[in-house]
Amino acid sequence: KIKFSIMIGEVGGKSEYKVIEAIKNKLITKPIIGWCIGTVSDYFGGSIQFGHAGAKADKASESAVQKNKAMKQAGIFVPNGFNQLPYLVKELYESLTDNTVGNSSQDINIIDLPLDCETLVKTNKARKKTHFVCTISNDTKEEITYCNMPITEIVEKKYTVTDIIGLLWFKQKFPVWASNFIDLIIKLTADHGPAVSGAHNTRVTARAGKDLTASIASGILTIGPRFGGAIDAAAKYFKMAYENKMEPEDFVEYMKNVEKIPIPGIGHRIKSTKNPDKRVSLLKNYVFNKFPTCKLINYALDVEKVTTSKKENLILNVDGAIGVSLVDMFWALNYKNKDIDNLIQRGAFNAFFVIGRTIGLIGHYLDEKRLNMPLYRHPVDDILYDEESPI
């Protein structure tokens, strides 16, 4: 509730007199502290105009001294000087809240403000709302931990890079056979020469003067269904066919007539049955010798027999071999089918290609910078200009 008001006026004008009239007519009943600034003007000769537009007393009644006198006569609390104003405010407030004056302090609603969030957090009475949840690492302890394992322990136990991938991607340390298989994937996918889209983009971007991050990003962004991104899709469709007990011939027909897409992980532009991909051979050799079970890769090779009977380059390519082998790996690690499906859906299988190929893309970037190659412009004789071609 408002107990009193403070009014600050100035020389010139009649606003203060309107307040005086309102008090006389009982339109204002609560106490007012008033002061009209400009009392010093009486010490100057003539009419003095202050900085504020119109702040000038043209009549005696408009001077600060006369206004203060009139306000005091009307019952407004007027200090003897401007410096007394804060003391008068304190005095009036205390008198209005004093029971002996008839204005009980009970009329004042004292609100107990709640403690602010920072204080509550410091006193362990509240927890600040978080915007992120991290379950793989913690940098708030004495030393950083990966899945609750201190970094010094990781170094002391000689964890490999692929062991770290297991911790940070899947929250577990894989057995040696699985960890070494991931290492093999990274080695086999690290590079595939300068002609593929990822390396090409990286080199062109590097020649344009861009930095490492931009150049690598331009290469990584080409990864997709037609370049390295078929690992997830191959795992998805081969796993689906195996679980539904489709015969290899039926699976081939299903992909052609129902999904109406080429089988992900099947086919290569250069490699064929007569010119096999050494990377696939290395993968198969490792899986057959080290994996506890090889169910899906065997099924994929049965499908390959059907596809290569139609065309010799419709082989199980490196993406397909990695995809089906990863499913076999997670089966052997006792992952449930729904958990494997979630990994595939989230792109976790393609992530192995991304991390492997990034090594090569960095190599291509550094190669361009090392050679100090000029800005790239595609040869005109390699472009067919055909403006007359219909839309």
Coordinates of all heavy atoms in Angstrom, one line a residue, residues 2 7 15 35 40 57 62 70-71 82 110 140 162 184 198 211 270 281 301 327 336 358 364 366 368:
I2 N 0.4 2.3 -0.7 CA 1.1 3.6 -0.7 C 0.8 4.3 0.5 O -0.3 4.6 0.9 CB 0.7 4.4 -2.0 CG1 1.1 3.7 -3.3 CG2 1.4 5.8 -1.9 CD1 0.7 4.4 -4.5
M7 N 6.9 14.6 -4.2 CA 6.7 15.5 -5.4 C 7.9 16.4 -5.5 O 8.2 17.2 -4.6 CB 5.4 16.2 -5.3 CG 5.1 17.2 -6.5 SD 3.5 18.0 -6.4 CE 3.8 19.1 -5.0
S15 N 1.8 23.7 -11.9 CA 1.4 22.3 -11.5 C 1.3 22.1 -10.0 O 0.4 21.4 -9.6 CB 2.5 21.3 -12.1 OG 2.5 21.5 -13.5
W35 N 9.0 19.4 -2.7 CA 10.1 20.4 -2.8 C 10.2 20.9 -4.2 O 10.2 20.2 -5.2 CB 11.4 19.8 -2.4 CG 12.6 20.7 -2.5 CD1 13.5 20.7 -3.4 CD2 12.9 21.8 -1.6 NE1 14.4 21.7 -3.2 CE2 14.0 22.4 -2.1 CE3 12.3 22.3 -0.5 CZ2 14.6 23.5 -1.5 CZ3 12.8 23.5 0.1 CH2 14.0 24.0 -0.4
V40 N 17.5 29.0 -5.5 CA 18.7 29.9 -5.7 C 18.4 31.0 -6.7 O 19.1 32.0 -6.7 CB 19.9 29.0 -6.2 CG1 19.6 28.6 -7.7 CG2 21.2 29.8 -6.1
A57 N 10.6 31.5 -13.9 CA 9.5 32.1 -13.1 C 9.2 33.5 -13.6 O 10.0 34.4 -13.5 CB 9.9 32.2 -11.6
E62 N 5.4 32.0 -9.2 CA 6.0 30.8 -9.9 C 7.4 30.6 -9.4 O 8.1 29.6 -9.9 CB 6.0 31.0 -11.4 CG 4.5 31.1 -12.0 CD 4.5 31.3 -13.5 OE1 5.6 31.3 -14.1 OE2 3.4 31.4 -14.1
A70 N 3.7 28.0 -0.3 CA 2.3 27.6 -0.5 C 2.1 26.2 -0.2 O 1.0 25.8 0.3 CB 1.9 28.0 -2.0
M71 N 3.0 25.3 -0.6 CA 2.8 23.9 -0.4 C 2.8 23.6 1.1 O 2.0 22.8 1.6 CB 3.9 23.0 -1.1 CG 3.8 23.0 -2.6 SD 4.9 21.8 -3.3 CE 6.5 22.5 -3.0
F82 N 17.0 21.5 0.4 CA 17.0 20.2 -0.4 C 17.8 19.1 0.3 O 17.4 18.0 0.3 CB 17.7 20.5 -1.8 CG 17.7 19.2 -2.6 CD1 16.5 18.8 -3.3 CD2 18.8 18.5 -2.8 CE1 16.6 17.7 -4.1 CE2 18.9 17.4 -3.6 CZ 17.7 17.0 -4.3
I110 N 4.5 -7.4 4.7 CA 5.9 -7.7 4.6 C 6.0 -9.1 3.9 O 5.5 -10.1 4.4 CB 6.6 -7.8 6.0 CG1 6.4 -6.4 6.6 CG2 8.0 -8.2 5.8 CD1 7.0 -6.3 8.0
T140 N 35.0 -32.7 -14.5 CA 34.9 -31.9 -13.3 C 35.6 -32.5 -12.1 O 35.7 -31.9 -11.1 CB 33.4 -31.7 -12.9 OG1 32.8 -33.0 -12.6 CG2 32.6 -31.1 -14.0
T162 N 41.2 -47.7 -30.4 CA 39.9 -48.5 -30.6 C 39.3 -48.8 -29.2 O 38.1 -48.9 -29.1 CB 40.2 -49.7 -31.4 OG1 41.3 -50.5 -30.9 CG2 40.5 -49.3 -32.8
L184 N 41.0 -52.7 -37.6 CA 41.2 -53.1 -39.0 C 40.2 -52.3 -39.9 O 40.6 -51.8 -41.0 CB 40.8 -54.6 -39.1 CG 40.8 -55.2 -40.6 CD1 42.2 -55.1 -41.2 CD2 40.3 -56.6 -40.6
G198 N 35.1 -37.6 -51.5 CA 35.6 -37.0 -50.2 C 37.0 -36.4 -50.4 O 37.2 -35.2 -50.0
D211 N 41.0 -23.4 -44.6 CA 41.8 -24.1 -43.5 C 41.5 -25.6 -43.4 O 40.7 -26.1 -44.1 CB 41.6 -23.4 -42.2 CG 40.2 -23.4 -41.7 OD1 39.4 -24.2 -42.3 OD2 39.9 -22.7 -40.7
I270 N 34.7 -50.8 -60.0 CA 36.0 -51.3 -60.6 C 36.2 -52.8 -60.2 O 36.5 -53.6 -61.1 CB 37.2 -50.5 -60.1 CG1 37.0 -49.0 -60.5 CG2 38.5 -51.1 -60.6 CD1 38.1 -48.1 -59.9
S281 N 38.6 -59.0 -48.8 CA 39.3 -60.3 -48.4 C 39.9 -60.3 -47.0 O 39.8 -61.2 -46.3 CB 40.4 -60.6 -49.5 OG 39.9 -60.7 -50.8
L301 N 27.4 -63.4 -48.2 CA 28.2 -64.1 -49.3 C 27.3 -65.0 -50.1 O 27.5 -65.2 -51.3 CB 29.3 -64.9 -48.7 CG 30.4 -64.0 -48.0 CD1 31.4 -64.8 -47.3 CD2 31.1 -63.1 -49.1
V327 N 27.3 -56.3 -37.5 CA 26.2 -57.0 -36.8 C 26.6 -58.3 -36.2 O 26.2 -58.6 -35.0 CB 25.1 -57.3 -37.9 CG1 23.9 -58.1 -37.3 CG2 24.5 -56.0 -38.5
K336 N 21.2 -57.0 -27.9 CA 19.9 -57.4 -28.3 C 19.6 -56.8 -29.7 O 20.2 -55.8 -30.1 CB 18.8 -57.0 -27.3 CG 19.0 -57.6 -26.0 CD 17.9 -57.1 -25.0 CE 18.0 -57.7 -23.6 NZ 17.0 -57.2 -22.7
T358 N 38.4 -39.8 -42.3 CA 38.9 -38.5 -41.8 C 40.4 -38.5 -41.8 O 41.1 -37.5 -42.1 CB 38.3 -38.1 -40.5 OG1 36.9 -38.0 -40.5 CG2 38.9 -36.8 -40.0
H364 N 45.2 -35.8 -47.4 CA 45.0 -35.1 -48.7 C 45.1 -33.6 -48.5 O 45.7 -32.9 -49.3 CB 43.7 -35.5 -49.3 CG 43.7 -36.9 -49.9 ND1 44.4 -37.2 -51.0 CD2 43.0 -38.0 -49.5 CE1 44.2 -38.5 -51.3 NE2 43.4 -39.0 -50.4
L366 N 46.9 -32.0 -46.1 CA 48.3 -31.7 -45.9 C 49.1 -31.9 -47.1 O 50.1 -31.1 -47.3 CB 48.8 -32.6 -44.7 CG 48.2 -32.3 -43.3 CD1 48.7 -33.4 -42.3 CD2 48.5 -30.9 -42.9
E368 N 48.1 -31.3 -50.2 CA 47.9 -30.1 -51.1 C 48.7 -28.9 -50.6 O 49.3 -28.2 -51.3 CB 46.4 -29.7 -51.1 CG 45.6 -30.7 -51.9 CD 45.8 -30.5 -53.4 OE1 46.4 -29.5 -53.9 OE2 45.5 -31.5 -54.1

